[in-house]
Amino acid sequence: MPDLSHLKRLSAVKSNVGVKFLTPSAFPGSHCPLHPALALAGNIKGLSSLVVGTPECATYSRIVLRNAQDRQGEQHWTYVLDASEVVFGCRKGLMDALQKMDRSGAKAVLLLATCVPDLIGEDIEGLVREAQPKLSMRLISVMMGHFKCNSFPSGSWKTLQAIGVLMEPRTVQPYVINVMGRSPDEKHIPLPSILRVLQQQGFSLRCLAPGASLEDFLAAPDAALNLVLTPFADPLATAMEQSFGIPAFRLHTVYDAAEIAALYAAIAKKLGLQWGNEFNREQLEALSLQEQARKRLNGCRFICTDIGPVRTMPLAAFLTAMGMEPVLLHLEEFWPDDKYWADALNALGYDPLVCHMVNSDADAPLLESLAPDLCLGDLNSVKGRIPCVPYLSDLYGLSGYDRTNSLLKKILHKLEQPSRSKEGGARHGIA
């Protein structure tokens, strides 16, 4: 069996740094946290950006932002460090650049410091504090050193968290709800049933995600509550809970039908409404599918690869509670609350290996050696040799009972199909 001794067990991981690559691979480009940070900056109306780094970072930022609209009061600049600044710092040059952006009409600027400013110890936060009183525009910053992380999600959640710094207290509007993680431009994706029912009850839904405006984010402290649909918005929701007392209800970590019912009841209580029979059909379907899954999945060994916008740890905890055995989990990010989910898995008697998978061709032989009964996520290199549940990105936009039902249907459907090894014989059978 190939050596996996370099990987850590889940119980030994305390942060993202502890999650090792499955194979000696690196994944630059879209895997860099600068990518989602730039994508966010280019898709929040009214937010400008200034990228500080090497010529490579500047070129890359032009590629990511090539479709950014030329909106009034919005600019996307780059500041390329010269050799002297790499050694002695770039404080003076950055101050000059920020003053130019201010004079050019920028309303709010996200300063993105890449690897080199971080490596040389440039005090970006101190510079922001010093510069702000001299500028009419608002200024926020994020450190985007790729060498400090193995993945890209921090580019999204740190940027959203930084935007939260611009928020100020507002009078609460009892019929306004922040939907954190759904874009106002997603007209083609049906509303989750809970959002549809809230609209029917007369609530105004403010979507906070790419496609929203900076003004939407600045108005967010007036909401009665935050509904969190993605992990990328979770740190911002936590910060708003602490700063403004806005309760956050997290839909992206809940799968069990009973837990969904309890969460919906808590939301109804907070808003002072009654759901009636709105979710009865979905709830009954979820309970039925969970019962089928418990019988069918008991003892089934599984691995997780890239599962898109779905968080690995809550999903693994849900499936393990139904009798599945987690063998190896790909963690794109070790999120701030993943220690909670790690404890939940450990309490169930499991301590799986964890890793980053970034090169499916190189990773495939190692994954095959584990002989799992099921793989959650795409794994094209071993197609047909390990039963895979692909297209989990289809769960994007779903929440509550709808998401649980869709997930369990995908898994049960896959396990109805016998898996064949490359030699043509049954390898995993029907788990």
Side-chain angles (χ1 to χ4, degrees), residues 209-289:
S213 69
L214 183 61
E215 288 303 317
D216 290 331
F217 281 90
L218 297 182
D222 71 359
L225 57 82
N226 288 329
L227 291 181
V228 188
L229 303 187
T230 74
F232 304 105
D234 208 334
L236 174 58
T238 299
M240 293 175 68
E241 203 164 15
Q242 295 170 349
S243 298
F244 310 113
I246 303 176
F249 294 89
R250 294 164 174 84
L251 296 171
H252 64 96
T253 59
V254 182
Y255 291 89
D256 180 76
E259 293 180 6
I260 294 170
L263 181 64
Y264 281 17
I267 293 171
K269 181 178 180 180
K270 174 62 183 175
L271 295 175
L273 57 85
Q274 298 290 329
W275 297 124
N277 299 323
E278 290 287 356
F279 307 113
N280 282 9
R281 181 189 58 78
E282 300 166 10
Q283 184 182 30
L284 289 173
E285 184 179 13
L287 289 169
S288 175
L289 286 167

Side-chain angles (χ1 to χ4, degrees), residues 231-361:
F232 304 105
D234 208 334
L236 174 58
T238 299
M240 293 175 68
E241 203 164 15
Q242 295 170 349
S243 298
F244 310 113
I246 303 176
F249 294 89
R250 294 164 174 84
L251 296 171
H252 64 96
T253 59
V254 182
Y255 291 89
D256 180 76
E259 293 180 6
I260 294 170
L263 181 64
Y264 281 17
I267 293 171
K269 181 178 180 180
K270 174 62 183 175
L271 295 175
L273 57 85
Q274 298 290 329
W275 297 124
N277 299 323
E278 290 287 356
F279 307 113
N280 282 9
R281 181 189 58 78
E282 300 166 10
Q283 184 182 30
L284 289 173
E285 184 179 13
L287 289 169
S288 175
L289 286 167
Q290 283 185 209
E291 185 60 28
Q292 295 176 51
R294 285 192 178 92
K295 296 175 181 177
R296 188 68 182 79
L297 302 179
N298 188 46
C300 180
R301 302 171 71 252
F302 75 96
I303 61 175
C304 271
T305 59
D306 182 10
I307 53 177
V310 181
R311 270 187 64 183
T312 299
M313 293 292 287
L315 174 60
F318 169 63
L319 296 176
T320 302
M322 289 196 296
M324 297 186 76
E325 178 186 344
V327 177
L328 182 143
L329 305 176
H330 161 74
L331 298 183
E332 192 65 61
E333 176 99 349
F334 192 84
W335 294 89
D337 66 338
D338 270 349
K339 187 63 174 66
Y340 167 84
W341 298 106
D343 290 342
L345 279 172
N346 294 158
L348 292 168
Y350 295 104
D351 195 15
L353 294 167
V354 294
C355 66
H356 288 299
M357 299 181 197
V358 296
N359 187 334
S360 60
D361 290 334

Side-chain angles (χ1 to χ4, degrees), residues 98-122:
L98 290 170
Q99 289 171 354
K100 288 179 182 178
M101 293 189 78
D102 195 28
R103 292 194 295 270
S104 297
K107 304 301 181 185
V109 172
L110 172 66
L111 197 160
L112 296 166
T114 58
C115 289
V116 171
D118 211 351
L119 280 168
I120 65 176
E122 191 68 64

